[in-house]
Amino acid sequence: MSPAEQRPAGAPTSTPAPDAVRLDVRRGDPTPEELAAVITVVTEAYEREASAAVAEEEARPSAWQVSARALRAPLRRDVAWGRFAG
């Protein structure tokens, strides 16, 4: 029986809450215990995956930042260079 058929006539239609679990049975006729077991296993696997998917707190330097040379020090005008020092 679909959810629309289970609702009494004249009952307002509502959308499921964002946290609601939706399960569509495509084949067979599972018992409520089997459905509960499937929901439990899938929920636990989802929570485990969600807890492991954590973004790094410190951003790593980009490839551009790693490969870019640092700025060179300014030229010292007070030091003579080469044979033109006079």
Side-chain angles (χ1 to χ4, degrees), residues 39-53:
I39 291 172
T40 301
V41 169
V42 170
T43 302
E44 182 180 335
Y46 172 77
E47 288 174 354
R48 193 176 322 125
E49 182 179 342
S51 67

Side-chain angles (χ1 to χ4, degrees), residues 48-59:
R48 193 176 322 125
E49 182 179 342
S51 67
V54 179
E56 296 179 10
E57 297 217 4
E58 185 176 314

Side-chain angles (χ1 to χ4, degrees), residues 61-69:
S62 69
W64 174 261
Q65 291 171 333
V66 169
S67 67
R69 280 192 325 194

Side-chain angles (χ1 to χ4, degrees), residues 19-45:
D19 295 338
V21 176
R22 179 177 176 190
L23 183 65
D24 293 329
V25 178
R26 302 285 175 145
R27 289 187 196 165
D29 189 24
T31 64
E33 292 83 17
E34 292 171 336
L35 288 175
V38 167
I39 291 172
T40 301
V41 169
V42 170
T43 302
E44 182 180 335

